[in-house]
Amino acid sequence: GEEVDDDDEEEEEPVQQPARHARIESLRNADTPVMRSPLTGATPGGFDHSPDGAVRTPGQAATPLAAGDLANGKPVSVHCPTLSAEYVKQGYKVTPSMRQLQAMTDAQLSAVSDFSVSRVGFGSVRWLNKVDVRDINLDDVVDIQHMSIEVYKSEEVTPKRGTKLNRPAICTLEQFEIPVDFAGSVEDFISWLRDDYTPQLDATFIDFDVENCCWTFKVEHFTVYGFNGASTPYPSARKPAAGAAP
């Protein structure tokens, strides 16, 4: 019979990326606070976005695919992590790829190096040490939204620190929006983000890429990390409402 080429994959539908915006304007030039954020596609923190949207660390080699069951669409291990087609359509990617993970044994899945989950145009998480990805439904565990990254959605389902995906990682949020009413310059905002806000999250500031509006930071464990201009206190230049106490 005909041989099955394990490397043949159906071409994925292109993911619709968020529209690009103009460069950051003055933080003082609007009466009504709005959010602005450019995006050029580059991501700081050592990530490389390939044309297919996958996130790879520099020099990362592809994992050889196994033959046998994988050719028939069956993972080698019944404990292989899962990622739904719906999440793939939303821009989610994993590294190593799902085909590479499906080719791994239980032992390999229990200690995956350079594991990362990204969502095109939103951000990414890269774990710093080997992680156990067995029996993980990534749809349920990793949620990357606009200016927010969440791994495990409640304390009830969060594993003990140092196990599974509740381990140290590098997070990058793309399209990080600076409020135009921030009381200071862009440099002042970066200083506030680095010295005040990131430490409040029990995280370590790594970088803020002004050109691409990407915030990169390190976490030791997981909760909800992000920034919400409506609820996050920050130095504001907005004038108090008429009649309000100074």
Side-chain angles (χ1 to χ4, degrees):
E2 295 184 358
E3 294 184 358
V4 177
D5 186 352
D6 293 339
D7 291 325
D8 285 346
E9 299 185 34
E10 294 183 2
E11 184 176 348
E12 296 181 0
E13 297 181 6
V15 176
Q16 183 67 36
Q17 298 197 32
R20 302 189 179 193
H21 302 280
R23 294 176 59 84
I24 300 175
E25 298 179 12
S26 167
L27 298 179
R28 301 178 183 274
N29 68 353
D31 295 330
T32 303
V34 296
M35 301 293 209
R36 308 181 192 282
S37 171
L39 175 68
T40 65
T43 304
F47 293 110
D48 172 30
H49 280 250
S50 61
D52 64 0
V55 177
R56 299 181 176 85
T57 51
Q60 181 176 12
T63 302
L65 297 179
D69 285 344
L70 186 58
N72 298 320
K74 298 179 181 178
V76 170
S77 169
V78 295
H79 301 292
C80 183
T82 58
L83 179 69
S84 72
E86 178 60 32
Y87 265 53
V88 171
K89 289 181 180 179
Q90 292 179 26
Y92 282 89
K93 301 282 184 178
V94 295
T95 300
S97 70
M98 287 307 302
R99 282 182 62 82
Q100 291 169 342
L101 292 170
Q102 289 168 353
M104 294 183 183
T105 64
D106 266 7
Q108 291 171 322
L109 291 172
S110 70
V112 177
S113 299
D114 295 321
F115 184 71
S116 68
V117 179
S118 67
R119 187 179 180 193
V120 177
F122 291 88
S124 57
V125 187
R126 176 174 62 88
W127 281 266
L128 295 176
N129 304 305
K130 293 180 179 180
V131 291
D132 181 357
V133 299
R134 292 174 298 178
D135 299 313
I136 291 179
N137 181 339
L138 293 168
D139 294 28
D140 294 337
V141 172
V142 181
D143 187 27
I144 304 176
Q145 300 293 334
H146 181 53
M147 296 176 68
S148 173
I149 290 176
E150 184 175 13
V151 177
Y152 298 110
K153 300 179 182 179
S154 71
E155 292 185 4
E156 290 74 18
V157 299
T158 301
K160 183 174 66 175
R161 285 179 60 169
T163 63
K164 290 296 187 176
L165 298 185
N166 196 16
R167 298 173 63 87
I170 301 295
C171 300
T172 296
L173 287 173
E174 302 178 13
Q175 295 201 95
F176 191 88
E177 299 175 343
I178 301 177
V180 295
D181 69 320
F182 180 81
S185 64
V186 173
E187 290 73 19
D188 292 332
F189 181 84
I190 295 173
S191 296
W192 173 81
L193 188 65
R194 179 188 63 235
D195 301 331
D196 296 324
Y197 186 63
T198 306
Q200 290 177 27
L201 300 178
D202 196 24
T204 302
F205 179 89
I206 294 178
D207 181 55
F208 183 77
D209 183 342
V210 176
E211 179 69 21
N212 301 305
C213 278
C214 295
W215 174 31
T216 302
F217 54 94
K218 176 185 175 184
V219 300
E220 299 299 326
H221 64 97
F222 273 96
T223 177
V224 181
Y225 293 99
F227 180 92
N228 186 325
S231 61
T232 300
Y234 60 87
S236 173
R238 281 182 289 183
K239 297 179 180 180

